[in-house]
Amino acid sequence: MTIDSHDRDPRSDASTPDAASPEGAAKGPRADKAAGRRAFMGVAGSLAVGGVLAGSPGVAQAARGRGIDDLLDGIGSLRRDPRVSPLDHELRLRALRVRVEAAVDQFEEPIAPHPDNGDEERYPNKIGTDTRGLPHDARGEVDRAAYRVAARAHASREWDDFEAIPLAGTRKLVSPIGTLAVSLIGTTPAQIGVPPAPALASAEKAAEAVEVYWKALLRDVPFESYADSSDVADAIEEIDRLSGYTGPRAGGRVTLETLFRGSVTYADPRDRSGRTAKHVVPPGVLDGPYISQFLLRDIPYGPQVLQGAFRTALPGNDFQTDYNEWLAVQNGFSPTRSIAYDPVRRYLSTGRDLAEYVHGGAASFWGAALLLGAARSANPSVPGGIAAPLSPTNPYLTSETQASAAATFSLAYLQGLLPFGTSRAIRAAYWQKWFVHRSIRPEGYGGLVHQRLANGREYPLHDDILGSLAVELTFDTFGSYLLPQAFPEGAPLHGSYPGGAAAIAGVNVTLLKAFFDEDHVIEDPFVPDPADPTRLVPYSGPPLTVGGELNKLATNASFGRNWAGIHWRTDAAASLALGEAVAISLLRDERRTFREPFDGFTFTRFDGTRITI
């Protein structure tokens, strides 16, 4: 619409002889637009017939050569309105070139391998698959006829087939078709690969389960008091023995400093099958307190302030430990109980606090951007902004006469990218959930543990979970072997792997690292007062950097869902890498649109390697 009104001659309409005649029609602005479209489609058709857009090698190189040149020559040779500035016309042609080149470059990225863990095919009763929301029998096993209907929808990816799925309760499946929307910038979900989720009977799945059982038991122990807790010592000892554990270690051991800290899982690019995983600990995640500085400070928002102290849940808010309550949630019914909240707001200091923080839509990454750009407090006892410098590659840092604004390179520009990245990360993560993995949730796995240990059903679970101290203590505390949930409703109705919240964390933190100086040391870090979590006290310890605390923010935001009992370690870890890949594809497309002299976005990936885009 904008281009059409810009080109239109207000003195020209269909009543004038020139516009009414065949000759006039051929020269009018609508004819120009139609001719431009014909030129574009003609060249696009030639590219397709010639194989340039049909999957042959060198798609991008060929299209950037004669194909796009022909396209632009054809459109550029059309009659120009003499009142339009040649520079404006050139800008329009440049926009076309950028869009076409970006689309072709993205098209050339291959479809990633998408291996699954084989559980859906391995078990006819689908005990290794997420089936929540469908009807289940008294054992918690899905109605197979209902699952066949769901499987048809998974295979067809059609709206009407999903509408035909027979749900048992009132909750709805979360956004399967939304994952198939075409993204006009950035890559498509199928072009990003993650390793398969750990299989149901594997030692790695058992290790993940032991970890989340311990997290449920330790939700109310303050992080700053871990050294004084015998239960924490027992958790360290048990998790350290697990052969399938992929979380952080120090000197080959799980320690007080590494327990429950975050990790990231990449598909190993050397394995073209996509099955080999590479587990890493992002820089800074093991440094200092468990909770990131970005989750502790008041966030300045213009004339307002968003408090760093939060509404938290009271200790003992644990759900789905009663079998009937658990089964109702598996069938998709809304919970009948709710969380009891602490009337006093306080700073995040326990696993339960972190779980509740990620329960809703907190301003994690928008807030981090505001904190990075805000000035430090004049009072050293009161947390202020971080006043982090912009990335050294920002071209406006060396400009003598120009300042950035919301158009490019400023904080306001970044704030526009963050929610956009969130949408694209969810498309990528949910596509994997619905159309590849459909992996069992921890709450569903807890049902299998309960049936095996309480009722003797021969479900194929690894000995590491069946003999776990955490599982035994859960039974002693709650009277069942079900995994205690921090949320009454448990998890949303889609598969566990990979995690949506973690993908959001991955894309947003990557964008933040691309715009700010990661090496900047945070000058006045704080921690919650162990004696009174309604106040903060200064932190003293190893230096905390912007990059390290952003990485910690990413793991807090993603592994916080594990503290709630609704996700596994690999869900969070693989999704951080997935979100990072989405951010890289967005930055690559954005970079080509700039006119400033710019050497590229440079930042540190979660695996510690430096990348320039």
Side-chain angles (χ1 to χ4, degrees):
M1 292 292 295
T2 302
I3 292 176
D4 188 50
S5 62
H6 177 76
D7 286 351
R8 188 180 309 279
D9 184 349
R11 297 168 299 177
S12 173
D13 57 42
S15 65
T16 64
D18 182 61
S21 66
E23 294 80 5
K27 297 177 182 179
R30 292 186 180 180
D32 283 357
K33 190 173 181 180
R37 186 179 294 111
R38 287 194 299 272
F40 180 92
M41 297 304 295
V43 173
S46 298
L47 293 174
V49 171
V52 174
L53 297 181
S56 59
V59 172
Q61 181 178 359
R64 278 195 298 269
R66 192 57 195 162
I68 289 180
D69 287 343
D70 284 348
L71 171 65
L72 296 176
D73 288 346
I75 294 178
S77 64
L78 296 173
R79 184 181 70 83
R80 295 178 181 169
D81 188 325
R83 294 163 300 164
V84 172
S85 163
L87 292 178
D88 292 343
H89 187 72
E90 179 59 33
L91 180 59
R92 184 170 64 168
L93 290 179
R94 179 173 175 270
L96 178 62
R97 175 183 288 277
V98 166
R99 288 169 176 164
V100 172
E101 287 185 349
V104 173
D105 276 346
Q106 292 291 359
F107 180 83
E108 194 172 42
E109 288 291 321
I111 301 296
H114 296 295
D116 60 50
N117 64 12
D119 281 345
E120 187 168 3
E121 183 177 355
R122 185 176 293 119
Y123 304 115
N125 56 359
K126 308 306 176 188
I127 57 172
T129 302
D130 180 59
T131 59
R132 291 163 313 113
L134 301 178
H136 295 77
D137 62 20
R139 296 187 301 269
E141 294 184 16
V142 70
D143 179 271
R144 298 194 195 184
Y147 194 79
R148 284 193 291 272
V149 178
R152 283 198 294 272
H154 302 154
S156 73
R157 307 181 186 180
E158 291 293 340
W159 175 275
D160 289 345
D161 287 340
F162 276 99
E163 290 291 294
I165 294 175
L167 300 180
T170 55
R171 298 175 69 192
K172 296 182 180 181
L173 308 178
V174 181
S175 194
I177 298 300
T179 70
L180 304 175
V182 173
S183 297
L184 296 182
I185 70 169
T187 192
T188 62
Q191 291 168 299
I192 302 175
V194 295
L200 179 70
S202 68
E204 187 176 351
K205 180 59 73 183
E208 293 190 307
V210 170
E211 184 180 36
V212 293
Y213 270 90
W214 274 117
K215 282 187 166 183
L217 291 169
L218 298 172
R219 280 188 189 124
D220 297 316
V221 179
F223 296 120
E224 296 299 314
S225 301
Y226 271 21
D228 303 321
S229 169
S230 60
D231 287 335
V232 168
D234 288 340
I236 292 172
E237 182 179 352
E238 178 167 26
I239 293 173
D240 184 55
R241 294 197 305 264
L242 299 172
S243 62
Y245 183 67
T246 61
R249 297 176 185 264
R253 303 295 300 271
V254 177
T255 68
L256 188 66
E257 291 72 28
T258 67
L259 181 69
F260 303 143
R261 300 275 178 149
S263 58
V264 175
T265 298
Y266 291 89
D268 190 337
R270 297 170 296 181
D271 180 2
R272 299 186 65 182
S273 75
R275 294 191 171 278
T276 305
K278 180 179 73 170
H279 307 287
V280 302
V281 180
V285 165
L286 300 183
D287 297 339
Y290 188 90
I291 298 294
S292 171
Q293 292 295 297
F294 291 100
L295 298 182
L296 297 175
R297 296 165 177 262
D298 291 350
I299 300 170
Y301 188 22
Q304 298 175 281
V305 173
L306 305 180
Q307 287 188 341
F310 298 98
R311 181 194 69 181
T312 58
L314 289 168
N317 274 262
D318 297 302
F319 304 90
Q320 297 190 47
T321 57
D322 173 81
Y323 189 80
N324 290 331
E325 181 181 55
W326 173 86
L327 184 59
V329 173
Q330 296 303 294
N331 280 324
F333 288 98
S334 296
T336 57
R337 295 194 293 148
S338 58
I339 295 173
Y341 293 106
D342 191 330
V344 178
R345 293 181 182 270
R346 57 195 181 91
Y347 294 95
L348 304 182
S349 60
T350 69
R352 188 181 301 280
D353 294 346
L354 187 57
E356 185 56 30
Y357 177 82
V358 300
H359 195 180
S364 305
F365 311 107
W366 178 275
L370 291 170
L371 280 168
L372 285 165
R376 294 178 59 208
S377 171
N379 183 347
S381 66
V382 177
I386 292 173
L390 294 171
S391 169
T393 64
N394 190 307
Y396 287 94
L397 294 181
T398 56
S399 174
E400 295 290 337
T401 62
Q402 301 177 70
S404 62
T408 58
F409 289 106
S410 70
L411 176 60
Y413 169 73
L414 170 62
Q415 288 173 318
L417 285 182
L418 294 176
F420 186 83
T422 292
S423 167
R424 298 313 183 257
I426 286 297
R427 289 181 184 181
Y430 284 17
W431 184 89
Q432 296 276 352
K433 286 174 179 286
W434 282 112
F435 302 123
V436 182
H437 301 286
R438 296 181 288 277
S439 181
I440 189 171
R441 288 278 185 174
E443 63 193 74
Y445 185 96
L448 301 179
V449 173
H450 179 79
Q451 288 288 356
R452 174 72 183 264
L453 294 177
N455 300 320
R457 291 199 60 80
E458 288 299 316
Y459 289 136
L461 303 178
H462 196 276
D463 288 343
D464 283 350
I465 188 63
L466 298 176
S468 167
L469 174 61
V471 172
E472 179 184 337
L473 291 175
T474 298
F475 182 82
D476 291 344
T477 304
F478 297 100
S480 78
Y481 297 102
L482 297 165
L483 175 66
Q485 299 287 301
F487 304 158
E489 74 280 8
L493 291 193
H494 46 45
S496 193
Y497 184 78
I504 292 171
V507 70
N508 279 274
V509 162
T510 302
L511 292 172
L512 288 163
K513 289 190 293 185
F515 275 84
F516 286 95
D517 184 354
E518 296 175 84
D519 298 327
H520 178 72
V521 174
I522 298 174
E523 298 183 50
D524 48 359
F526 288 81
V527 292
D529 185 342
D532 179 9
T534 64
R535 60 189 294 266
L536 296 176
V537 295
Y539 158 79
S540 59
L544 305 177
T545 65
V546 165
E549 290 302 292
L550 283 173
N551 287 339
K552 195 182 294 180
L553 171 63
T555 59
N556 286 166
S558 51
F559 284 80
R561 307 280 275 187
N562 301 28
W563 279 105
I566 70 170
H567 270 299
W568 308 105
R569 173 169 288 275
T570 48
D571 297 346
S575 285
L576 287 172
L578 180 148
E580 180 183 74
V582 172
I584 289 171
S585 74
L586 295 177
L587 290 171
R588 184 175 291 122
D589 280 357
E590 283 293 293
R591 187 208 186 287
R592 68 171 76 240
T593 68
F594 300 146
R595 287 299 300 270
E596 295 92 339
F598 182 50
D599 293 330
F601 298 103
T602 298
F603 57 91
T604 306
R605 298 179 64 187
F606 292 127
D607 65 1
T609 61
R610 296 282 285 179
I611 183 174
T612 297
I613 301 172

